[in-house]
Amino acid sequence: MQLDEEKRRVLAETKGFMPDVEGEALFFAAQEICESSVAGPIVEIGSYCGRSTIWLGAAAQAAGRLVVTVDHHRGSEETQAGWEHHDPDVVDPRTQKMDTLPFLRRTLFDADLEDTVIAVVGTSPNVAAVWSKEISMLFIDGGHGAEQAATDYGSWVPHVASGGVLAIHDVFADPSEGGQAPHDEIYRPALDSGEFVEVSRTGSLRLLRRL
Ligand code: SAH
Ligand code: MG
C-alpha cells in the first residue's frame, strides 16, 4: 500500500527533515509491524511539524493502531536561531521561542490523523519517566546531542517489544557526513547489546529489530 493522495499533498506542504525515500522505508516497516502480532503503539521521539509522523500515522491508521509522538516543540540545538536548520516561521513572536506544536496540529488535522496520533508535549526524559508500555516500533529522531541521544537510548529502547522495530534517524558512521550522537549513543549500543539486528539502511535511517 502507498500513501494516499491526501496524505501526499499534506506531506508536500509539511516542513521537516525526512526525505521521501526514508519516509517510505519508515512507512513500510511500520506497515509490517502493524500487521504483525507484535503489540503496542508506535512511538516517535521528535515530532517537529509532523513529516515523519504522517508516514508512521498512515501505516498505523490502516491497521487500527496508534502512534504516540513526543516533542517539547522548542526545537533542537541545530534548529535554533543562528543555526543551519533554523526556520524563522516556527518562532512564536510572543515568546521568541520556537513552537512547532501548531504546525504539528495542522499536519495531523489536514492528514486526517487526529484519531490515530497522540501528540505528547514534554521533554523526552520526562515522558519516558511516566512510560511503562511495550512499544511495537520506536523511532528516535529527537535531540542529537550526545547526552540527549544516550538518555533516549537508556529510557526508551528498553520498552521495545521482542520482535519490535527500533528506527534511528541521522545515523552517520563518518563524522564528515553529520553529527555522531545517533550513531555512537543509539545505533552502536543497540547492536553491541546483542539484542538487536540490523534490518535495513536508507539514507541516514537505520532499522533494527529486537530479537
Ligand atoms: N521527525 C521530524 C524531525 C524531528 S527534528 C521530521 O520528520 O520532520 C527533532 C525534534 O526533536 C525537534 O522538534 C525538537 O524539538 C525535538 N527534541 C529535541 N530534543 C528533545 C527532547 N529532549 N525532548 C523532546 N523533544 C526534543
Ligand atoms: Mg532527523
Side-chain angles (χ1 to χ4, degrees), residues 153 183-184 186-197 208:
Y153 179 78
H183 178 275
D184 292 356
I186 306 172
Y187 172 76
R188 269 316 336 158
L191 288 179
D192 293 346
S193 73
E195 291 172 34
F196 289 88
V197 289
L208 278 51

Side-chain angles (χ1 to χ4, degrees), residues 41-45 56 67-68 70 131 135 137-140 156:
I42 295 175
V43 173
E44 169 177 68
I45 310 302
L56 296 171
V67 175
V68 176
V70 177
W131 188 273
I135 295 170
M137 177 170 176
L138 174 65
F139 174 48
I140 303 185
W156 286 104

Side-chain angles (χ1 to χ4, degrees), residues 43-120:
V43 173
E44 169 177 68
I45 310 302
S47 333
Y48 194 61
C49 302
R51 256 191 95 72
S52 44
T53 321
I54 296 176
W55 296 105
L56 296 171
Q61 185 175 48
R65 299 248 203 164
L66 294 172
V67 175
V68 176
T69 186
V70 177
D71 202 309
H72 51 41
H73 289 284
R74 296 302 186 198
S76 300
E77 208 174 81
E78 64 274 17
T79 56
Q80 300 300 326
W83 289 73
E84 187 189 347
H85 296 292
H86 181 64
D87 179 350
D89 293 349
V90 301
V91 174
D92 175 355
R94 199 183 71 84
T95 58
Q96 288 301 313
K97 287 188 180 299
M98 281 181 61
D99 183 5
T100 47
L101 181 59
F103 293 84
L104 175 66
R105 294 275 286 160
R106 196 158 75 188
T107 301
L108 297 180
F109 178 81
D110 290 349
D112 184 32
L113 287 172
E114 289 195 329
D115 204 27
T116 296
V117 178
I118 302 165
V120 177

